[in-house]
Structures are given as structure tokens and as C-alpha cells.
Amino acid sequence: MGTEREGERHEGELNEGSGGHDRRAATARFTLAIVLSTVAGLVAWMWFAIVVEDTWGDECKARAAGQSGVTFLIAFGVVPLLLVTAGAVAALIGFAPGVRGGKVWRGLVSAIVITAAGVLLAWWATDGMLVAHLALGSGCLA
């Protein structure tokens, strides 16, 4: 009987050890999700800044022709940004370690930090004009 208890204890120790391995693997997956989501988020924000600048620069010509660049901005700037952000949030929540509440919290906080970094990068890349450029057509003569 003594050997069975030792066997049970030994089996339990193995499970704890594999639990530690599982925890390390979960942390590694979450770290990879953070890195990939950060890269994707920053690229998406830079792309958005490029599209906003291009649309803003051509808006006066488009208005003179009875058109608007808003459709272009939405299709090629806003939609890709939203899709990448949604994918990043899903990956961050899905790979965050812990129980459901903790996973959602860690995933959302990570997504907010990545989004803030993306906004700051896009703002910096446009020399602080990102928000001003969103006022499409504001510099056009009537």
C-alpha cells in the first residue's frame, strides 16, 4: 500500500510538472500572439495613415469632379484597419493564459495598448496631421 501512495504522489508530481509546461507553452503562445498582433496592428495603422493622406490630398480634385474620397477611405483604410484590429483582439483573447475573465481582460488590455501605439505611430508618421487630414475637403475652395 505504501508503494501505491508513492505511485499516486509520483503521478501527481508528473501532472504538476506537465501543468508547468502547459503554462509555459500558453505564455509562449500569448507572447507570439502579442508580437504578431503588434506588427499587424502597426502596419494597419501606417496603411490607414497613408490612405488618409492620399485621400486628403486628392479630395479637392474629387470634389471638383463631383466625387468624394470617402468611399475610397472607408474601403481601403477603415475596413482593413477594423479587420486587422478584430483579428488581433480575437487572437489576443484566444491565446491569453488563464480563465475566461482573465483572458478577456489580458486580451483587451493588450489590444488597447497596441491600438494606442498604432495611433501614435500614424500620428507621428503624418507629422501630427492625421486628425486634421480626417477633415476631408476642409481646405478646398467652394
Side-chain angles (χ1 to χ4, degrees):
M1 279 188 121
T3 50
E4 287 180 23
R5 273 189 179 230
E6 289 174 14
E8 289 174 10
R9 191 175 314 134
H10 182 65
E11 185 178 318
E13 289 171 2
L14 287 177
N15 287 339
E16 285 178 5
S18 66
H21 177 69
D22 290 343
R23 196 173 316 119
R24 282 192 303 263
T27 302
R29 285 190 300 267
F30 185 54
T31 302
L32 181 61
I34 287 175
V35 169
L36 294 177
S37 296
T38 300
V39 169
L42 295 178
V43 168
W45 274 102
M46 285 302 297
W47 176 254
F48 179 74
I50 290 168
V51 171
V52 167
E53 286 242 6
D54 185 56
T55 304
W56 185 80
D58 293 338
E59 182 64 17
C60 292
K61 292 182 241 172
R63 285 194 178 189
Q67 303 286 322
S68 176
V70 173
T71 305
F72 177 79
L73 176 63
I74 290 172
F76 292 100
V78 175
V79 170
L81 180 62
L82 290 177
L83 290 174
V84 168
T85 302
V89 168
L92 291 168
I93 290 173
F95 288 113
V99 295
R100 187 183 330 177
K103 288 175 73 120
V104 171
W105 178 249
R106 284 184 194 97
L108 289 178
V109 167
S110 300
I112 290 169
V113 169
I114 291 168
T115 300
V119 169
L120 290 174
L121 179 65
W123 179 75
W124 172 80
T126 60
D127 292 327
M129 296 300 294
L130 179 67
V131 176
H133 287 169
L134 288 175
L136 294 176
S138 61
C140 300
L141 298 173

